[in-house]
Amino acid sequence: VFRTRPRRATAGQGGIVMEWKGIETAPKDGTVILVYLPRMMNLIVRACYSTVHGYWRTDCETDGGITSPTFFHDGDYWMPLPEPPEVG
């Protein structure tokens, strides 16, 4: 969890720059993404849209193993997860 104010991120050794996009453009197909929440002290979380339940879920919101819905708002941003580093 990061608490900084990101504008863009550079991922991988190739230096690919990824820009934050408005949350309204985020995929709703179950893809795991990063979400930047400036209204919550610049929190960044992993999230995905539950196509079964019809709401967003994050890794940090559970109640006894049951995920709770998360609500994102105008002014929140998303970007794809970066590729993991090469191990070798």
Side-chain angles (χ1 to χ4, degrees), residues 46-85:
R46 284 186 348 157
C48 68
Y49 191 81
S50 171
T51 57
V52 173
H53 297 101
Y55 57 72
W56 289 95
R57 301 179 300 142
T58 65
D59 290 343
C60 57
E61 294 192 25
T62 62
D63 182 16
I66 300 171
T67 57
S68 302
T70 301
F71 300 98
F72 299 131
H73 306 278
D74 290 342
D76 294 339
Y77 300 91
W78 77 280
M79 74 167 51
L81 287 175
E83 292 295 320

Side-chain angles (χ1 to χ4, degrees), residues 7-21:
R7 298 269 185 231
R8 64 172 66 185
T10 303
Q13 295 176 337
I16 299 169
V17 176
M18 297 186 301
E19 298 285 337
W20 291 99
K21 303 170 186 165

